[in-house]
Structures are given as C-alpha cells and as structure tokens.
Amino acid sequence: MAIEEGSAVTLDADIRDRLTRPAPDLRLIVAAVAAFSVAYYFALTRLVRGNIFNSYPFIPNDGFDWLLEGYAVSRWFDGVPLPELPFARGPGFVGVVFADFHIGANGDLLFAVIAASVFVSIAAGLLIAYWRGIPAYQAGVVVLAMALTPVGFFRQLILADQFASSLMVAAAVALYPYFARGSRGWLATATGLAIAGGLTQTYGMMAFLVVAGWGLVVSINRRRPDRLLAAAVVVQLLVTLGLSKWWLSVFPH
C-alpha cells in the first residue's frame, strides 16, 4: 500500500496491511470486554445510596475532590457564586462530573463515562495487539489479567484516571493510521484526544508526545522532517496549557 504524502514515518508492510483489515478473531474478546464494561457500570450505580455524596465511603479523598468541584461548577451555572476552592482539578473530568450534576443523573452519567473508559482502554490495547500480530489468545490473557489485577481499573472508585488513561491510549493509537497512511484526519483526532487527556490529568497527553516525538526523530533521521506532526505537537501543548490557564483564571482555587 502506498504511503500518502504527510507522514515521513513508515510502518512495516504487515502492520500497514492489518490497519486496513477488520479483526474478526478479536470480535469475541471485544464483545466480552463490552459486556464486562456494562456489568461494571451497573455495579458502580448500585453503590449509590440516596445521592452520590452520601456514598462517600466508596470514594477516596481525591475522588471526593472531583465531585465537589464538579458540583460547585454546576451550582455556578445555576447562578450561585463560586467559592474559592481549596484544590485545582483539571477541567476534563470535572466537566463530566458537572454534566452529571447539571442534568440530575446522580452518578449515572459519571459511571457510564468511567465504564466506557475501561472499554476504550482495553479495546485500544487489543487493536495494538492485532496490528502487531499478537495471537488472540494472548490478547485474551492480557484482558483477563487486567480484569483481575488489584492495580487495574476495575475498582469501585470515582477517579479521573480511568478517563484520562483511556484518552491517553486512544490518542497514541490514533497516530498509527497517520504513520501508515499519512491521514491528516487521524492526526487531528490524535491531537484532540491528547488535548482532552492533558486537560483531565497531565499524564493524559504523555503517550501522544512520546509516540509523536518518536515519529519526529525518525522523520528527521530520514532527512524528511515531518512538519505536520511537529505542528500537531506544538498545537497540542499550546492549547492544553492555554485552556488550563483559562480554567484556573475563571474558577478560583
């Protein structure tokens, strides 16, 4: 397959071929992950008693911070003066919590985003496994390990990490089609996901910067500097930092 103009980084022919084909051997695993994510959503919603604040025993201290800031922003939209908050949380996940409070979902929207984040994280990992030619059964073992490990995401906690991590891995995966086909649309998608990840947790943009940085080094080494990729990195950093500064100026901490 010919490489379109726009990317000086080339992937080997086998990966480029896999990028253009469906992955029927992973569909059963993806369906199982989707079912697990739905079950995870219902498990989270059943922990709420009365309202989400009354369910604080299921929320770690820093998770409560996200809830409080999202609630404060929701009240601010209703005309209640916003107090000076004792902490600064990124607008990405605070925005999710705000939306949940603003529509009166009482955690349903929040938990749906967390469950979807788990699905996106694993699905993105499965895509990489397929593109790299890793057998389906090995990919399945990794999924099972993620579901059972005590350091995985499958805990009854309200945190921004599930959301930030899913954005981070999705941004990195979105760079694959750009490297394979020079697709500017995928580069824009990766940049947008990295911005959203960085606005949620700072580390949410790291994978994009690492993968894009690798691509830049490769393109420079081949004496074909990828200026479009360099521009995407600059835009991602400037927009993320600019919006973060705006957020802190509008909502006092």
Side-chain angles (χ1 to χ4, degrees):
M1 180 179 62
I3 303 296
E4 297 176 11
E5 188 65 29
S7 175
V9 182
T10 57
L11 302 175
D12 61 71
D14 183 59
I15 295 178
R16 294 203 308 271
D17 180 60
R18 286 174 179 272
L19 278 165
T20 62
R21 293 189 287 115
D25 54 327
L26 292 180
R27 288 177 181 173
L28 182 60
I29 299 176
V30 170
V33 174
F36 182 87
S37 299
V38 171
Y40 183 54
Y41 164 76
F42 285 108
L44 285 168
T45 56
R46 287 182 61 84
L47 292 176
V48 177
R49 295 293 182 269
N51 62 52
I52 197 166
F53 276 113
N54 288 338
S55 304
Y56 177 65
F58 298 103
I59 307 169
N61 291 337
D62 53 350
F64 187 72
D65 294 347
W66 296 99
L67 282 181
L68 184 57
E69 186 160 351
Y71 176 75
V73 174
S74 176
R75 297 293 289 158
W76 179 76
F77 265 78
D78 292 333
V80 178
L82 187 69
E84 182 173 345
L85 299 169
F87 37 76
R89 294 297 185 183
F93 194 66
V94 170
V96 174
V97 178
F98 151 73
D100 187 281
F101 278 117
H102 206 58
I103 66 175
N106 197 31
D108 287 353
L109 175 62
L110 173 63
F111 293 139
V113 170
I114 291 176
S117 298
V118 170
F119 173 77
V120 169
S121 296
I122 298 179
L126 289 173
L127 272 176
I128 294 176
Y130 177 74
W131 291 339
R132 300 302 305 184
I134 297 174
Y137 75 90
Q138 291 184 11
V141 169
V142 172
V143 170
L144 181 62
M146 289 184 67
L148 298 179
T149 179
V151 296
F153 289 147
F154 310 110
R155 299 167 294 178
Q156 314 307 314
L157 303 178
I158 295 177
L159 290 171
D161 297 290
Q162 295 99 326
F163 188 45
S165 296
S166 66
L167 292 169
M168 177 175 66
V169 69
V173 168
L175 284 173
Y176 263 73
Y178 172 69
F179 290 148
R181 302 190 294 271
S183 170
R184 298 186 178 187
W186 278 109
L187 179 59
T189 299
T191 305
L193 289 169
I195 291 171
L199 290 173
T200 302
Q201 295 273 52
T202 302
Y203 70 76
M205 63 183 182
M206 294 304 177
F208 171 82
L209 294 177
V210 169
V211 177
W214 166 80
L216 285 173
V217 170
V218 171
S219 67
I220 292 172
N221 186 57
R222 293 175 177 172
R223 303 184 188 282
R224 290 182 56 201
D226 193 331
R227 294 179 176 83
L228 193 61
L229 185 60
V233 170
V234 172
V235 167
Q236 190 276 322
L237 288 172
L238 291 179
V239 172
T240 302
L241 293 175
L243 288 178
S244 296
K245 184 175 178 59
W246 170 82
W247 171 259
L248 293 176
S249 68
V250 172
F251 302 106
H253 297 83

